[in-house]
Amino acid sequence: MTTAAVENALLTTFDVGRLRLRNRVVMAPMTREASHDGTPTPAMIDYYVRRAAGGVGLIITEGTTVAHEAARNRTGIPVFHGDANLQRWSELVAAVHAEGAAIVPQLWHVGMDRKVGDPPDPLVHPAGPSGVDLHGAVVADPLSSAQIDDIVAAFGTAAGEAQRLGFDGIELHGAHGYLIDQFLWSRTNRRTDQYGGDIARRTRFAADVVRACRSAVSSDFPIIFRLSQWKITDFDARLAASPAELEEIVSPLAAAGVDVFHCSTRRYWEPAFEGSPLTLAGWVRHITGLPTIAVGSVGLRDSDFISTLLTGAGAAVEGLARVAEFLNRGEFDLVCVGRALISDPAWVNKIAAGRHDELVPFDAADLARLY
């Protein structure tokens, strides 16, 4: 595939709801713990602005937590509530828009990834569907129905604030073993009420969150839902064992109001299920008919982010012909780039200018400065 063909695939516009993206490249949400006790800092704003100036079409912010006492577990994680914090997010939106990019916040609750004694308040216990951590140990009481209602409402409130502040949509973090995913996953959801049991009931909490967010925003305000098979504690976990099980999860979410699914995998090109070449993003797109975002080692040579981040290793630049091929055949609609944008904020502009040979390889040392 020619360089021009790669550029054409990546750099065409894309519409979702009222939003027109200038290209198909999305900046991945990457938790950096760079806020000041939950408040976005000027350096944090500059970090996003540099990637916007570098040409990305859409920025998904690092996870930012909704207004629930157990939603975060580290003080450097930003929060999405409180007048001072929301004002700083508003400044970030304006600065990113000035560079021509769209931006959405990733709304997050860590659930049982929080440990007893974690900050910011060590007296607050973790919150999850069954009080079961990601290893299967019971460490807290299950959430009550009233507590579930409060968390659902907190997501809805955050979505409404996002639209008020001028964001271009929201992303709900329903992946990697955090709270929404903990309801979806049988290992962490042992409930016997309407929120637990079979896949349909385990999906109810996620669908309720989507509905709360949809009710809080306009009908053309995009809602992105991030999902994954793997978890932060189990890279081989399977949320769905077959396309039929996957359909039981994503179809109710689509009906509840999701506009785009962000399908998180370790290597975007790998088939999701035995016997079919379709990727996770491809299967979700096939099932729902909705746009999907693919993520996982985009632009990096056969190297997943888990190994490079945990070992401190780098990852060489890979040609983008395979990404373009998947886009052109309709496997997915958008591509999410993470580590490549850490080391090279101008990644998209270099591709647009045909300067592929100038793309900078990922180096884990860049994580320390995140310039």
Side-chain angles (χ1 to χ4, degrees):
M1 183 176 290
T2 66
T3 298
V6 169
E7 293 162 9
N8 288 338
L10 286 171
L11 302 178
T12 56
T13 61
F14 186 75
D15 296 336
V16 54
R18 66 182 184 179
L19 177 62
R20 166 159 287 189
L21 301 178
R22 61 183 175 184
N23 57 51
R24 305 299 182 98
V25 181
V26 180
M27 178 179 171
M30 294 176 281
T31 297
R32 304 180 304 120
E33 301 182 46
S35 74
H36 177 66
D37 195 20
T39 303
T41 64
M44 186 171 154
I45 293 175
D46 181 65
Y47 164 78
Y48 288 110
V49 169
R50 291 198 65 187
R51 277 75 190 171
V56 298
L58 171 66
I59 290 173
I60 303 174
T61 74
E62 60 208 276
T64 177
T65 54
V66 299
H68 183 259
E69 60 180 4
R72 66 178 176 146
N73 54 357
R74 295 184 294 278
T75 56
I77 292 173
V79 303
F80 205 75
H81 53 87
D83 292 343
N85 298 319
L86 294 177
Q87 175 58 37
R88 191 58 60 85
W89 282 115
S90 178
E91 295 168 11
L92 171 58
V93 171
V96 166
H97 283 168
E99 297 294 346
I103 183 168
V104 303
Q106 185 188 71
L107 303 180
W108 189 26
H109 190 303
V110 302
M112 298 302 299
D113 187 51
R114 179 179 172 82
K115 310 297 188 297
V116 174
D118 275 352
D121 185 347
L123 298 180
V124 171
H125 281 214
S130 302
V132 175
D133 68 17
L134 274 66
H135 300 285
V138 177
V139 297
D141 292 331
L143 285 167
S144 69
S145 294
Q147 289 171 320
I148 289 173
D149 290 344
D150 288 344
I151 294 173
V152 169
F155 274 99
T157 297
E161 293 285 23
Q163 183 164 30
R164 181 182 68 82
L165 295 174
F167 279 95
D168 300 292
I170 61 166
E171 174 168 284
L172 297 171
H173 197 339
H176 304 163
Y178 296 112
L179 181 66
I180 295 175
D181 194 23
Q182 288 161 21
F183 274 88
L184 295 172
W185 195 24
S186 59
R187 183 187 298 178
T188 46
N189 186 344
R190 302 177 184 175
R191 301 179 73 93
T192 57
D193 62 2
Q194 67 268 34
Y195 288 105
D198 61 18
I199 293 176
R201 290 197 294 273
R202 295 201 308 271
T203 303
R204 177 173 176 172
F205 174 77
D208 282 355
V209 169
V210 173
R211 277 188 287 268
C213 293
R214 177 51 68 206
S215 295
V217 300
S218 60
S219 60
D220 59 354
F221 189 74
I223 295 177
I224 304 169
F225 190 95
R226 194 177 212 203
L227 60 86
S228 69
Q229 296 271 36
W230 66 274
K231 320 300 173 191
I232 53 176
T233 55
D234 187 349
F235 303 147
D236 297 319
R238 306 284 287 177
L239 188 63
S242 66
E245 289 189 355
L246 182 64
E247 183 171 3
E248 288 191 71
I249 296 168
V250 297
S251 290
L253 298 180
V258 170
D259 297 291
V260 180
F261 283 96
H262 183 181
C263 303
S264 178
T265 58
R266 297 175 70 189
R267 300 177 182 88
Y268 76 90
W269 60 87
E270 292 185 338
F273 302 105
E274 188 174 343
S276 167
L278 280 180
T279 62
L280 183 62
W283 266 112
V284 172
R285 193 177 191 272
H286 173 74
I287 290 168
T288 65
L290 293 175
T292 57
I293 304 171
V295 67
S297 300
V298 172
L300 300 177
R301 186 172 302 154
D302 197 17
S303 172
D304 69 81
F305 75 98
I306 297 295
S307 62
T308 57
L309 295 185
L310 292 184
T311 66
V317 172
E318 181 192 48
L320 295 167
R322 179 162 51 181
V323 176
E325 177 189 344
F326 278 60
L327 280 169
N328 287 336
R329 73 183 188 213
E331 181 94 11
F332 44 75
D333 302 274
L334 300 162
V335 293
C336 205
V337 180
R339 287 166 297 153
L341 282 170
I342 288 176
S343 294
D344 197 344
W347 192 84
V348 181
N349 283 345
K350 288 179 181 179
I351 291 170
R355 295 154 47 204
H356 294 228
D357 58 339
E358 297 180 23
L359 295 175
V360 179
F362 170 77
D363 186 334
D366 292 330
L367 290 168
R369 55 183 183 273
L370 284 171
Y371 58 91

